[in-house]
């Protein structure tokens, strides 16, 4: 009888130990997964910071607008695979600053062709739409742009993944940079974050280039 009780208690103890081991193993798995996820996020943050540092180093000292935008466009294309880059800059008035009823367009294409039927997405951007996006001063998705007046061909727009990232200074909006590529390869949140991190400095550099031209 004593042996039977002893064995029963032993089996109960072993069962409890096994449950405890499984619980600990599960907790360790959760901790490991959290650690791995934190490492990945940290690496992504370092990559984004590294891109910003390289970007600002590359554009430092550039005083000619076309050279500045060419350098910026190529750096963005190097960072984001297969992307097309277009800078929409509000036309500049020496007296009144940026004008929302007119704009300049600078385009830098990916080496990978994108089928946009017979028209380019840039052709759908009117002065009113450009002004609306610039005044919003925030990252705009295709849905945002449609709400602001983008009137492109549905057959064209459904083939692309695109976003508009603001170019601004503390004083005013300079315009925005439009990035897009095939919808088969959607733009990611990390890619948009990387571009959004460099646009404030780029906006100030654009303003400096224009101010220098105006002073000559």
């Amino acid at each position: 009888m004593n042996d039977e009780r002893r064995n029963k208690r032993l089996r109960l103890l072993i069962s409890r130990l096994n449950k405890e081991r499984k619980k600990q193993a599960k907790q360790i798995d959760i901790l490991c997964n959290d650690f791995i996820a934190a490492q990945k996020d940290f690496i992504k943050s370092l990559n984004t910071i590294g891109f910003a540092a390289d970007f600002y180093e590359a554009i430092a000292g550039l005083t000619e607008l076309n050279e500045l935008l060419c350098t910026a466009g190529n750096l963005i294309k190097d960072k984001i695979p297969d992307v097309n880059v277009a800078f929409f800059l509000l036309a500049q008035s020496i007296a009144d600053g940026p004008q929302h009823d007119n704009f300049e367009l600078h385009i830098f294409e990916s080496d990978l062709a994108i089928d946009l039927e017979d028209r380019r997405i840039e052709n759908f951007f009117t002065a009113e739409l450009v002004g609306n996006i610039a005044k919003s001063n925030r990252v705009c998705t295709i849905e945002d742009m449609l709400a602001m007046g983008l009137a492109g061909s549905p057959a064209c727009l459904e083939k692309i993944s695109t976003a508009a990232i603001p170019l601004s200074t503390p004083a005013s909006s300079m315009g925005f940079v439009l990035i897009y590529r095939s919808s088969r390869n959607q733009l990611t949140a990390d890619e948009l974050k990387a571009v959004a991190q460099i646009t404030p400095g780029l906006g100030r550099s654009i303003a400096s280039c224009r101010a220098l031209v105006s002073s000559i």
Side-chain angles (χ1 to χ4, degrees):
M1 193 70 174
N2 289 336
D3 289 343
E4 184 178 345
R5 287 180 181 175
R6 191 181 300 113
N7 291 337
K8 185 177 180 179
R9 285 192 308 213
L10 184 59
R11 286 195 298 271
L12 182 60
L13 179 60
I14 292 172
S15 176
R16 288 176 178 172
L17 286 172
N18 286 336
K19 287 181 180 179
E20 189 63 28
R21 282 198 196 98
K22 289 179 181 178
K23 182 180 178 181
Q24 289 179 347
K26 186 176 181 180
Q27 290 175 334
I28 290 171
D29 286 341
I30 292 172
L31 288 173
C32 287
N33 290 335
D34 289 345
F35 179 71
I36 292 171
Q39 270 194 322
K40 288 181 178 179
D41 290 341
F42 180 66
I43 291 171
K44 285 180 181 178
S45 296
L46 283 181
N47 288 338
T48 300
I49 293 170
F51 169 64
D54 292 341
F55 183 91
Y56 288 134
E57 182 180 0
I59 68 170
L62 297 182
T63 57
E64 201 278 316
L65 182 60
N66 286 330
E67 183 182 7
L68 172 65
L69 295 179
C70 183
T71 301
N74 286 329
L75 288 168
I76 293 172
K77 285 168 52 185
D78 288 343
K79 176 64 177 177
I80 304 178
D82 307 325
V83 77
N84 294 273
V85 181
F87 294 100
F88 287 82
L89 304 183
L90 298 177
Q92 186 78 1
S93 166
I94 295 176
D96 303 319
Q99 304 296 294
H100 289 80
D101 59 353
N102 199 6
F103 65 91
E104 304 170 11
L105 175 60
H106 303 259
I107 301 173
F108 301 91
E109 295 182 333
S110 163
D111 293 332
L112 184 65
I114 184 171
D115 179 15
L116 296 180
E117 298 184 335
D118 296 325
R119 300 186 68 184
R120 302 182 54 88
I121 185 174
E122 293 90 344
N123 294 340
F124 300 136
F125 282 74
T126 63
E128 181 181 6
L129 174 60
V130 170
N132 288 339
I133 295 173
K135 282 186 285 187
S136 75
N137 201 31
R138 60 184 173 87
V139 176
C140 293
T141 64
I142 188 70
E143 290 79 13
D144 296 324
M145 288 184 265
L146 287 168
M148 292 177 185
L150 176 62
S153 162
C156 168
L157 297 179
E158 69 183 9
K159 293 181 180 181
I160 62 170
S161 175
T162 185
I165 298 100
L167 292 165
S168 60
T169 68
S172 64
S173 171
M174 307 300 298
F176 58 91
V177 53
L178 183 78
I179 59 174
Y180 66 91
R181 67 185 176 199
S182 170
S183 59
R184 293 188 297 270
N185 185 13
Q186 292 284 326
L187 293 168
T188 68
D190 288 333
E191 289 170 335
L192 296 183
K193 181 179 178 181
V195 177
Q197 185 163 311
I198 56 92
T199 49
L202 179 58
R204 290 191 293 271
S205 294
I206 291 170
S208 295
C209 288
R210 285 178 157 180
L212 182 61
V213 171
S214 299
S215 68
I216 296 176

